[in-house]
């Protein structure tokens, strides 16, 4: 029985260590999706700028001759604008400003919660509270944010590809 009681704290410490590793992986995934979104936004913005530049006098998109060319041109531009919106949405910080002040007494991992803590009271709270539930709650929130960001960057990329394809088809139709 004594061995079991001694191993319980070790198991709990191992669980906390594992949770911190997962937390680190979530931070890494969030950073990577932000980088992907920044890349997508740069490409999509360049696509919009290129199409606008090619719409000037004497350029390929200067005169759209039929409804299909108009649909493809404006549809492609709108798709690139929507794709850009999703890419920007990914990198907008998720501060949860309306929630953190109400939650901070039960949490101390997220900087939004920490800003409300008194520096003299925080060490005692960290010592007395079980870290695993606090860390688990933070991981769930981070996972939700990371999931939404990954979905949004995926949408951004697919919509951008559709917009680029529409504009390419429009250019081909204009040439022939």
């Amino acid at each position: 029985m004594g061995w079991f009681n001694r191993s319980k704290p070790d198991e709990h410490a191992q669980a906390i260590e594992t949770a911190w590793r997962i937390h680190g992986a979530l931070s890494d995934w969030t950073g990577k999706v932000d980088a992907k979104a920044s890349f997508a936004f740069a490409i999509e913005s360049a696509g919009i700028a290129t199409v606008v530049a090619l719409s000037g006098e004497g350029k390929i998109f200067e005169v759209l001759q039929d409804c299909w060319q108009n649909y493809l041109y404006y549809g492609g531009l709108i798709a690139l604008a929507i794709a850009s919106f999703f890419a920007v949405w990914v990198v907008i910080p998720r501060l949860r400003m309306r929630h953190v002040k109400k939650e901070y007494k039960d949490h101390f991992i997220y900087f939004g919660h920490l800003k409300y803590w008194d520096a003299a009271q925080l060490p005692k709270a960290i010592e007395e509270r079980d870290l695993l539930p606090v860390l688990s709650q933070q991981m769930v929130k981070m996972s939700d944010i990371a999931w939404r960001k990954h979905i949004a960057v995926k949408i951004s990329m697919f919509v951008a590809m559709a917009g680029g394809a529409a504009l390419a088809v429009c250019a081909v139709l204009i040439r022939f």
Side-chain angles (χ1 to χ4, degrees), residues 43-53 76-77 80-82 84 167:
I43 298 295
E44 293 154 2
S45 298
I48 291 170
T50 300
V51 171
V52 169
L77 269 179
L80 287 176
I82 291 169
S84 296
L167 289 161

Side-chain angles (χ1 to χ4, degrees), residues 46-87:
I48 291 170
T50 300
V51 171
V52 169
L54 292 175
S55 300
E57 190 174 325
K59 305 292 182 186
I60 190 167
F61 294 124
E62 176 188 16
V63 179
L64 302 174
Q65 299 171 354
D66 63 31
C67 67
W68 283 108
Q69 290 174 4
N70 278 287
Y71 287 143
L72 291 167
Y73 176 81
Y74 289 108
L77 269 179
I78 290 169
L80 287 176
I82 291 169
S84 296
F85 167 81
F86 275 99

Side-chain angles (χ1 to χ4, degrees), residues 108 117-129:
F108 44 78
W117 275 93
D118 180 300
Q121 295 174 347
L122 184 59
K124 184 177 179 184
I126 293 171
E127 282 178 4
E128 292 177 353
R129 296 198 187 150

Side-chain angles (χ1 to χ4, degrees), residues 123-137:
K124 184 177 179 184
I126 293 171
E127 282 178 4
E128 292 177 353
R129 296 198 187 150
D130 184 3
L131 183 59
L132 193 55
V134 176
L135 189 52
S136 297
Q137 182 66 24

Side-chain angles (χ1 to χ4, degrees), residues 56-168:
E57 190 174 325
K59 305 292 182 186
I60 190 167
F61 294 124
E62 176 188 16
V63 179
L64 302 174
Q65 299 171 354
D66 63 31
C67 67
W68 283 108
Q69 290 174 4
N70 278 287
Y71 287 143
L72 291 167
Y73 176 81
Y74 289 108
L77 269 179
I78 290 169
L80 287 176
I82 291 169
S84 296
F85 167 81
F86 275 99
V88 168
W89 183 88
V90 170
V91 296
I92 291 174
R94 306 294 187 275
L95 300 176
R96 303 182 60 251
M97 293 174 9
R98 290 178 280 161
H99 305 285
V100 292
K101 191 169 186 176
K102 293 179 259 180
E103 300 171 343
Y104 87 92
K105 290 182 182 183
D106 296 322
H107 303 282
F108 44 78
I109 295 173
Y110 172 50
F111 69 88
H113 294 131
L114 286 171
K115 76 182 203 117
Y116 291 106
W117 275 93
D118 180 300
Q121 295 174 347
L122 184 59
K124 184 177 179 184
I126 293 171
E127 282 178 4
E128 292 177 353
R129 296 198 187 150
D130 184 3
L131 183 59
L132 193 55
V134 176
L135 189 52
S136 297
Q137 182 66 24
Q138 181 64 22
M139 290 184 324
V140 168
K141 289 178 181 171
M142 287 177 67
S143 295
D144 181 56
I145 291 168
W147 181 263
R148 291 173 191 259
K149 286 179 172 233
H150 278 84
I151 295 297
V153 81
K154 186 174 185 175
I155 291 169
S156 173
M157 290 177 172
F158 279 119
V159 171
M161 287 189 300
L167 289 161

